Amino acid sequence: MKSKRKPTPAGELRQSQLLNTFGPGSMVDLPDHSVVIAGLNYWKGERKVIREDRLRSKVAKILEVEDIKFYTPPRQAEDANAPLSGIDAFIFPTWFLAQIDRTVKVKGKEYRTRPFLTWNAVKGGAKFEGSKVTAVPVRFVQACVNGHLDDIDWYAFVHEDFRTTCRGQLWLDEGGSGNDFEEIFVRCEACNARRPLATAKVKDSKVLGPCKGKRPWLGYGAQEPCVAHKIDDAGNIVTTDKPEYNRLLVRSASNAYFSQTLSVISLPDPDAALKKALDKFYEGELEHVPNLDILKYEFTKDRYSELSRFGAAVVWAEIERRKSGQAAPDKSIKQVELEALLACPEEMGKEALSMSSDFDARARKLDGLDQKWKPFIDRVVLVHRLREVIAQVGFTRFEASMPNIEGELDDLAINVRRAALDFESYWVPAVENKGEGVFISFPKSRVEEWVKRSAVKARGKSLEEGFLKWLDSRGIPRDKGRFPGIPYIMLHSLSHLLITAVSLECGYAASAIRERIYANETGYGILLYTGTSGSEGTLGGLVQVGRRIEQHLSRALELGRLCSNDPVCAQHEPTNPQEDRFLHGSACHGCLLIAETSCERRNEFLDRALVVNTVEELGAEFFPDDVF
């Protein structure tokens, strides 16, 4: 008996694309129509379990569930007899335009005009006035800030009445190139009603009506109540009894879908090792130790050699925490990573790398470091092997909601809210990337001393005022926004310069190198790393960069001194409303802006004047001229 032939998929996507660009709720153009990628309930086939406890606890907390699992997106099965593997998609939008060559003259002006057709009229072969025609999906849909998505009620729009009974043939009239909303009109053939699409683009416009909570990626019948939100007196985002209104959305626009992801580097948590070692000796033994001095005496015994390596003070702090019944402090994603990187052992000649470990790093000996760099470089860690796990928790529309500088998701972008990937959150899609990297730590005392300089304070005030203007322009209350701080902006700007400099020699394209900036009470540092789902991310190029990091730093600082757009770039004021670049100091495409796949902040919070002396000579630079 012949096996049943599997259907040919309408399109193919890489697994990583399903977490970033084309996840559940995103719209994808196919040759003949457009679809919306279905929710997780419609993903079927072979999936791989991904384990990462630290990220799992963070995602579970965000989604307000007790536990969550990570699975890779389904992959194509190698066995021809295996069950069907793939991801479903639903036709969206369900309105089309027939491609006919016709014009109409209105008030002396000629417009190209095309008739609207529904999916029911198209799916069996589009016809108009008895002739076969080609139909394309209409490029305008409606959505709300809660992530809901729906077809525009074109009859209600053109008649300016949501209770209209007129069902005449609708036409889309386009003047000029068809890109100016003022030149695009919807027209009813029966009653000659005509309305410009530009009315739906007016700020706070309500012409598209209240949102009905449609979620076509979860099925055509999936919808939920949709209400507006506000901030209460305590600063919390709460629901109101008022409806949220639809906004016009261009289907293929860049703001139609923003994947909301969270990522961690699978680094060992020193506290985890400490707790595991203490568990062996706590009950019946160390829980009865009265003070730190007695603990130090106990550590002279060989029995506690496994614990003594952590230091008596650190172990005593954990014992006191257990005695008091306090919960372990909930460390941020980046704090755990920074502590692990700072605790890496120093390399001891040529050591064999652990093939079973997801993380293998050694601190480079800095004995041969040039004297001029020693005040500025505290530690260089060569990360021979690392593993990054990225999980998608939801998505937004109109505006991106990104992790904060500590790698955690917060409610800064209160103008938009996260949409769900499925009805119930049992699992979320995730991918793991293997790679390598180099970590550079900068002396905490040096950074804190630099921040106290008057020129740095003045520059910081200017950048913070720009940040406040950015909050105002987005309608975000000032008390909800958190300025990342001058050290973060300096390190972020230096990271971009370094990525550009090292990409010329490390063997990776600049867009393949990613960054993680660490600026908190634990310390200050930059991790440049690369990772892919295969083995291409472990070529060793960035490790070799770390062995000559001072040379690359010199080149990076030289790149930052002069921009091809100077003096305009160097003179940019963050508060200038005409440029609308409130989150930039001296930064532009000629110097600091890089591929957004590399940047953790979407090319925001950048200012090379904090790194090196520019033509403006503000005196706020961290690195003096005589260093490079």
Side-chain angles (χ1 to χ4, degrees):
M1 181 178 178
K2 291 184 178 180
S3 60
K4 187 177 180 180
R5 186 176 180 181
K6 293 184 179 180
T8 303
E12 293 183 354
L13 295 170
R14 296 193 303 273
Q15 286 184 324
S16 59
Q17 286 181 297
L18 288 166
L19 259 71
N20 295 305
T21 312
F22 302 116
S26 65
M27 290 170 281
V28 180
D29 274 323
L30 297 178
D32 299 321
H33 47 265
S34 172
V35 297
V36 59
I37 300 297
L40 302 182
N41 193 44
Y42 296 91
W43 293 25
K44 49 188 176 289
E46 183 182 354
R47 298 175 300 184
K48 175 186 173 185
V49 176
I50 294 181
R51 305 188 189 281
E52 175 49 59
D53 291 339
R54 188 158 57 96
L55 181 60
R56 193 177 69 182
S57 64
K58 296 288 184 183
V59 173
K61 184 177 180 180
I62 291 169
L63 298 179
E64 299 179 348
V65 295
E66 290 186 5
D67 195 16
I68 198 78
K69 293 182 179 180
F70 296 156
Y71 291 103
T72 62
R75 51 188 174 184
Q76 188 173 0
E78 296 180 2
D79 185 0
N81 297 318
L84 184 66
S85 177
I87 294 172
D88 287 345
F90 298 103
I91 297 295
F92 186 86
T94 59
W95 282 98
F96 291 75
L97 293 174
Q99 300 292 78
I100 64 174
D101 188 12
R102 190 174 297 185
T103 60
V104 62
K105 186 171 286 190
V106 181
K107 295 181 180 179
K109 185 169 183 177
E110 197 170 80
Y111 295 84
R112 178 196 178 191
T113 187
R114 291 178 291 171
F116 281 88
L117 298 176
T118 63
W119 169 241
N120 288 332
V122 169
K123 61 183 179 181
K127 288 186 178 182
F128 183 73
E129 295 179 348
S131 302
K132 289 186 178 181
V133 294
T134 302
V136 297
V138 67
R139 56 191 172 111
F140 308 110
V141 296
Q142 63 185 16
C144 81
V145 294
N146 292 327
H148 300 134
L149 185 68
D150 197 6
D151 279 297
I152 295 175
D153 186 341
W154 293 108
Y155 289 111
F157 175 79
V158 70
H159 295 102
E160 301 184 37
D161 182 4
F162 284 91
R163 292 176 295 180
T164 182
T165 57
C166 180
R167 288 296 182 265
Q169 175 63 55
L170 299 181
W171 294 78
L172 187 72
D173 302 338
E174 298 172 284
S177 62
N179 294 321
D180 185 357
F181 285 96
E182 298 287 344
E183 296 288 334
I184 302 176
F185 296 82
V186 181
R187 175 170 51 87
C188 176
E189 188 177 67
C191 62
N192 293 321
R194 195 168 184 261
R195 193 178 191 185
L197 199 59
T199 58
K201 287 292 290 182
V202 177
K203 184 177 175 61
D204 298 325
S205 171
K206 298 180 180 180
V207 301
L208 296 179
C211 177
K212 297 179 181 179
K214 294 287 187 70
R215 298 183 291 178
W217 63 96
L218 299 182
Y220 291 117
Q223 63 185 90
E224 62 181 357
C226 182
V227 294
H229 292 70
K230 69 174 184 178
I231 297 180
D232 62 13
D233 295 335
N236 299 315
I237 300 173
V238 296
T239 58
T240 69
D241 57 356
K242 297 180 180 179
E244 186 64 70
Y245 282 85
N246 287 307
R247 299 184 184 182
L248 183 67
L249 183 66
V250 178
R251 180 170 49 78
S252 57
S254 59
N255 67 343
Y257 187 85
F258 294 102
S259 178
Q260 196 174 46
T261 60
L262 207 62
S263 71
V264 301
I265 303 294
S266 295
L267 301 174
D269 183 356
D271 287 354
L274 166 65
K275 292 171 187 175
K276 185 177 180 181
L278 182 58
D279 287 342
K280 298 178 182 179
F281 307 102
Y282 183 72
E283 292 186 8
E285 294 186 49
L286 296 183
E287 65 176 328
H288 302 300
V289 173
N291 54 53
L292 177 59
D293 292 333
I294 299 298
L295 181 66
K296 289 180 178 178
Y297 171 74
E298 292 292 330
F299 274 7
T300 60
K301 302 175 182 178
D302 292 339
R303 172 176 173 75
Y304 299 113
S305 59
E306 184 180 355
L307 262 179
S308 60
R309 66 187 179 91
F310 295 101
V314 175
V315 176
W316 176 246
E318 176 62 17
I319 291 174
E320 283 192 312
R321 186 193 66 76
R322 293 192 182 192
K323 286 182 177 180
S324 65
Q326 295 178 355
D330 186 17
K331 296 181 180 179
S332 69
I333 288 174
K334 285 191 176 180
Q335 186 178 350
V336 174
E337 294 174 2
L338 180 57
E339 289 175 358
L341 287 165
L342 292 175
C344 287
E346 198 172 70
E347 60 182 353
M348 306 289 292
K350 290 187 177 181
E351 302 173 71
L353 299 180
S354 172
M355 300 305 294
S356 60
S357 175
D358 287 327
F359 175 73
D360 202 325
R362 299 287 186 273
R364 170 192 157 188
K365 291 183 178 180
L366 300 181
D367 299 341
L369 191 68
D370 195 314
Q371 287 295 326
K372 65 181 181 181
W373 286 106
K374 288 189 175 180
F376 300 96
I377 299 178
D378 184 45
R379 188 177 180 84
V380 177
V381 178
L382 310 176
V383 185
H384 297 273
R385 183 179 291 106
L386 62 78
R387 170 179 176 257
E388 179 190 27
V389 178
I390 307 171
Q392 183 182 10
V393 298
F395 65 89
T396 60
R397 303 195 195 277
F398 299 107
E399 291 183 33
S401 179
M402 298 180 300
N404 59 25
I405 64 171
E406 285 299 315
E408 308 276 338
L409 289 176
D410 56 25
D411 293 324
L412 175 59
I414 64 166
N415 290 328
V416 294
R417 276 153 293 282
R418 179 174 58 253
L421 303 177
D422 204 349
F423 292 107
E424 299 288 341
S425 299
Y426 299 112
W427 69 279
V428 294
V431 294
E432 60 179 355
N433 297 323
K434 303 291 182 70
E436 54 149 345
V438 56
F439 170 74
I440 312 159
S441 173
F442 301 91
K444 189 176 180 182
S445 59
R446 186 87 185 191
V447 174
E448 292 174 349
E449 179 184 334
W450 167 73
V451 170
K452 295 176 182 177
R453 286 164 43 187
S454 58
V456 178
K457 288 182 178 179
R459 187 61 172 174
K461 183 179 179 181
S462 176
L463 291 166
E464 188 168 7
E465 287 174 354
F467 174 70
L468 294 176
K469 278 190 171 291
W470 177 81
L471 293 176
D472 294 341
S473 69
R474 298 296 189 277
I476 301 173
R478 291 190 172 190
D479 58 349
K480 287 292 291 182
R482 186 161 70 96
F483 185 60
I486 295 302
Y488 180 88
I489 297 176
M490 182 273 289
L491 293 172
H492 190 204
S493 304
L494 175 60
S495 172
H496 281 215
L497 292 171
L498 260 177
I499 287 175
T500 303
V502 304
S503 64
L504 301 174
E505 291 190 22
C506 71
Y508 299 108
S511 58
I513 304 173
R514 302 180 66 184
E515 66 179 3
R516 283 177 98 82
I517 312 300
Y518 303 93
N520 53 44
E521 59 185 15
T522 304
Y524 302 94
I526 297 171
L527 173 66
L528 300 186
Y529 68 101
T530 184
T532 67
S533 56
S535 60
E536 294 83 357
T538 54
L539 300 176
L542 288 181
V543 170
Q544 293 305 315
V545 164
R547 299 192 186 281
R548 306 188 312 277
I549 195 62
E550 54 270 38
Q551 298 174 25
H552 295 286
L553 272 172
S554 294
R555 185 177 293 107
L557 298 180
E558 194 65 45
L559 288 172
R561 289 194 65 174
L562 188 65
C563 172
S564 59
N565 291 323
D566 278 341
V568 175
C569 175
Q571 293 173 348
H572 168 69
E573 288 295 331
T575 55
N576 188 344
Q578 295 178 335
E579 292 189 67
D580 193 20
R581 292 196 295 126
F582 301 125
L583 302 182
H584 285 166
S586 298
C588 70
H589 284 284
C591 52
L592 286 188
L593 273 62
I594 59 176
E596 289 197 3
T597 54
S598 299
C599 179
E600 70 172 17
R601 296 297 304 178
R602 294 177 60 238
N603 277 324
E604 296 171 344
F605 299 114
L606 296 167
D607 184 13
R608 58 190 171 92
L610 297 176
V611 182
V612 293
N613 199 11
T614 65
V615 294
E616 276 292 277
E617 297 186 349
L618 299 176
E621 69 278 358
F622 181 74
F623 295 95
D625 293 344
D626 57 3
V627 173
F628 57 98

